[in-house]
Amino acid sequence: MDRKPNDTQKRDGIVYDVVIIGAGVTGTAIAHTLSRYEIRTAVVEKELDVSFGVSKANSGIIHGGFHHSADMLKARLELTGNAMFDDLKRELDFPFKRCGIIVVAFSVEELRTVEELYARGVGNAVPGIELCGRERIHELEPKLNPDIVGGLYAPTGGIIEPYRFAFALKESAELNGVDFFTGFELTGGRQEEGGIWVLTGKNGSSLRCRRMVNAAGLFADEVSRILGGEIFTIRPRKGEEYLLDRMAACHPSRVVFPVPGKVSKGMLVIPTVEGTTMAGPTAKEVGDKEDTATSEDNFHHIFSSARRIVPSISEYDVITSFAGLRPTMEGNDFYIALSNINPHLVQVAGIQSPGLTASPAIAGYVKELIKHSGLVLTEKSRVAASPGHLKPLRDMNDKEAAEAIARDPSYGEIVCRCEKVSEAEIIDAIRKGHTTLDGIKFYTRAGMGRCQGGFCSYKIMKLLTREGIRNSGSQLKGSAAGYVTGRLPAVNKGGGK
């Protein structure tokens, strides 16, 4: 496959101060934070684009800070991270909305659990948290089951597109000097004289660095072993979800949680920031870190549970299903610390829910650990503003659309009819380095609508070829998928929202 230059050979001779392993929301958030300091930073990612691991199949919820006790690291970072998203939205311009979260109860017994959540939220100083009776909870969300007797409301909860958040973090970090190397699967690490580490990839590439951050998600345990760090185990917990058409009558105005169980927060009904609706996720530990299959049994379970909360939810509105894998560890908390074995390594592992919410706070926490390790961090006197984004055609009024087409006729060529994505937006995505069908889908929403790429995939492949990206159009997230040869790939279309 021919792609734009993205190999480590162009950085021969450079010794990076920090190399971050993993480019999900955690890794890109750390890169964004470190880009503000006078150090050389790089990010390596085994996939061909950022956010293609755990992050792409995330539920996209900014949690409210009441599910976990403040004696857990994840709870403290969740609370701090939640408060950072308004400033990040202004700085980076990604889809985000504080729609609020409600937890609903069907009985007096469930109300007792809700009261415990409320007390925890008050103890955690969650802004505006409210204990609700029947009338108030139905006022907040009229589409709820009439049998719901009360609940909890956290107005600071919100919704986000996790991959577009990761893309925005990456673009800002890159603009401020961070190098990203995708397609780099770590296979080895050795220390040279003078304390410099040499990291080698599966493709024969290598990087040299002084510090390493292990933000490898599901594979953080394997990365730790490669780098001579702690021995621990990441257990994947699979969550299956279903995406409903944006015209679905069930679309709620707030994220709706049931009373949580012992293992998970339960089956949710989630309004996405782009106007569709999601139902799920399940929570089941699996042995395979690549197992993203969905099942008929869980389909019925999810809709039975979701319909109990929002009766108007319908299987007939489903446009796709997907499954995400959460990287869980023993103790069920985040593991973020300087390694006790390898003093050049920062461990950032076990980042499951609420990892997306906590990610900007995790970045700040990691920055302090890097300072504690002895690396001097001096703030830059000037940080470049985040790059501008093409305004999507679907967000323009008629006058704006006419002006855009007059400036650039490719705005008038519709590639994706379902989501109203223009050729101009596809070309912009390709030129920013998104060279797979999934990368373009996540960046532009082309292929996320009712037909799930049935109309636009071929057009996108033609544009990739026209832009000089040969063969990449036949790929979803990076491995050969067989679209060109006619062999329809057995992969799920994860992350479509």
Side-chain angles (χ1 to χ4, degrees):
M1 177 188 69
D2 294 337
R3 300 167 60 239
K4 293 182 179 179
N6 188 34
D7 64 83
T8 56
Q9 301 306 315
K10 68 178 181 178
R11 295 294 172 180
D12 277 354
I14 288 180
V15 177
Y16 288 97
D17 294 295
V18 181
V19 168
I20 301 160
I21 302 158
V25 290
T26 301
T28 52
I30 295 167
H32 172 256
T33 294
L34 294 183
S35 73
R36 297 169 180 273
Y37 295 87
E38 296 286 358
I39 59 173
R40 287 189 179 275
T41 303
V43 182
V44 297
E45 166 58 50
K46 72 172 187 172
E47 304 290 355
L48 293 186
D49 212 333
V50 304
S51 82
F52 271 14
V54 174
S55 300
K56 82 178 180 73
N58 190 287
S59 296
I61 298 169
I62 300 303
H63 288 276
F66 55 83
H67 275 108
H68 306 287
S69 171
D71 61 356
M72 300 184 77
L73 177 61
K74 66 163 60 176
R76 299 193 297 275
L77 294 175
E78 173 189 1
L79 290 160
T80 303
N82 176 296
M84 298 171 72
F85 272 89
D86 296 293
D87 286 342
L88 284 167
K89 159 73 174 176
R90 282 189 288 272
E91 176 194 349
L92 301 175
D93 188 26
F94 54 87
F96 165 65
K97 180 181 180 182
R98 285 200 188 276
C99 61
I101 291 171
I102 59 177
V103 181
V104 298
F106 283 88
S107 65
V108 172
E109 184 179 20
E110 287 193 345
L111 276 175
R112 292 194 189 99
T113 303
V114 169
E115 289 168 357
E116 292 172 5
L117 293 174
Y118 172 75
R120 186 175 298 147
V122 171
N124 290 350
V126 173
I129 193 166
E130 181 182 343
L131 197 60
C132 304
R134 181 193 295 272
E135 185 176 342
R136 174 59 172 157
I137 203 75
H138 287 280
E139 176 190 9
L140 288 165
E141 185 47 68
K143 293 180 181 179
L144 295 176
N145 188 327
D147 293 337
I148 288 170
V149 297
L152 173 152
Y153 174 45
T156 56
I159 47 179
I160 189 174
E161 283 205 334
Y163 28 82
R164 289 171 74 183
F165 178 46
F167 291 154
L169 291 165
K170 184 250 188 184
E171 288 178 6
S172 176
E174 210 165 29
L175 191 64
N176 285 289
V178 176
D179 291 323
F180 282 77
F181 302 108
T182 54
F184 186 109
E185 182 174 353
L186 186 73
T187 56
R190 59 181 174 82
Q191 192 172 17
E192 297 179 326
E193 290 185 15
I196 302 301
W197 279 80
V198 179
L199 306 182
T200 53
K202 195 173 185 178
N203 60 2
S205 297
S206 63
L207 287 174
R208 301 168 73 221
C209 63
R210 295 183 175 87
R211 299 290 187 277
M212 300 160 289
V213 177
N214 176 12
L218 288 167
F219 300 93
D221 50 355
E222 298 172 32
V223 166
S224 185
R225 282 190 283 273
I226 288 171
L227 299 178
E230 284 73 7
I231 301 299
F232 55 87
T233 301
I234 296 291
R235 295 181 176 86
R237 182 179 295 159
K238 184 162 74 169
E240 298 181 31
E241 301 197 60
Y242 286 83
L243 180 71
L244 281 63
D245 186 80
R246 64 174 66 248
M247 301 300 290
C250 66
H251 184 75
S253 58
R254 309 180 197 281
V255 180
V256 185
F257 280 78
V259 169
K262 292 181 179 180
V263 176
S264 77
K265 297 180 178 75
M267 222 66 67
L268 286 60
V269 181
I270 307 164
T272 75
V273 75
E274 288 285 359
T276 53
T277 305
M278 287 197 300
T282 55
K284 180 183 179 182
E285 285 199 5
V286 295
D288 183 359
K289 292 181 180 180
E290 304 286 351
D291 177 7
T292 55
T294 56
S295 69
E296 185 177 356
D297 286 346
N298 281 326
F299 170 82
H300 294 299
H301 173 55
I302 287 170
F303 276 91
S304 174
S305 300
R307 192 176 293 111
R308 183 169 180 256
I309 297 171
V310 179
S312 58
I313 198 165
S314 171
E315 297 95 325
Y316 295 106
D317 290 317
V318 171
I319 57 177
T320 193
S321 64
F322 62 95
L325 297 171
R326 294 159 251 179
T328 68
M329 289 180 64
E330 185 177 355
N332 208 35
D333 202 353
F334 296 165
Y335 170 35
I336 308 174
L338 281 170
S339 169
N340 290 320
I341 301 173
N342 182 343
H344 302 269
L345 176 64
V346 179
Q347 303 279 22
V348 187
I351 311 300
Q352 56 161 316
S353 178
L356 173 61
T357 309
S359 58
I362 290 172
Y365 194 88
V366 169
K367 178 201 73 177
E368 293 302 317
L369 290 174
I370 290 171
K371 286 174 65 176
H372 187 71
S373 77
L375 188 66
V376 176
L377 297 182
T378 303
E379 286 194 48
K380 292 177 177 176
S381 58
R382 181 180 177 277
V383 176
S386 294
H389 301 282
L390 283 186
K391 186 172 184 178
L393 185 65
R394 64 182 173 275
D395 293 339
M396 296 181 185
N397 58 36
D398 290 344
K399 181 182 177 182
E400 289 173 326
E403 291 172 349
I405 293 168
R407 291 192 306 270
D408 180 357
S410 65
Y411 254 122
E413 298 294 328
I414 302 300
V415 175
C416 174
R417 294 183 296 189
C418 299
E419 293 293 317
K420 199 177 178 182
V421 181
S422 69
E423 181 179 306
E425 295 159 69
I426 304 296
I427 296 301
D428 178 59
I430 295 170
R431 291 177 181 175
K432 286 179 176 173
H434 305 289
T435 58
T436 64
L437 289 176
D438 268 1
I440 291 169
K441 176 173 78 171
F442 297 151
Y443 197 81
T444 67
R445 294 192 60 80
M448 285 192 180
R450 186 81 197 184
C451 81
Q452 286 290 290
F455 174 78
C456 62
S457 292
Y458 174 66
K459 289 189 172 187
I460 294 169
M461 287 188 282
K462 286 182 67 176
L463 291 172
L464 281 160
T465 301
R466 197 178 82 187
E467 288 294 303
I469 313 297
R470 294 194 296 274
N471 298 328
S472 191
S474 65
Q475 303 191 1
L476 285 169
K477 60 178 245 177
S479 58
Y483 266 72
V484 170
T485 63
R487 294 178 289 104
L488 189 64
V491 298
N492 81 66
K493 298 178 179 179
K497 297 175 188 173

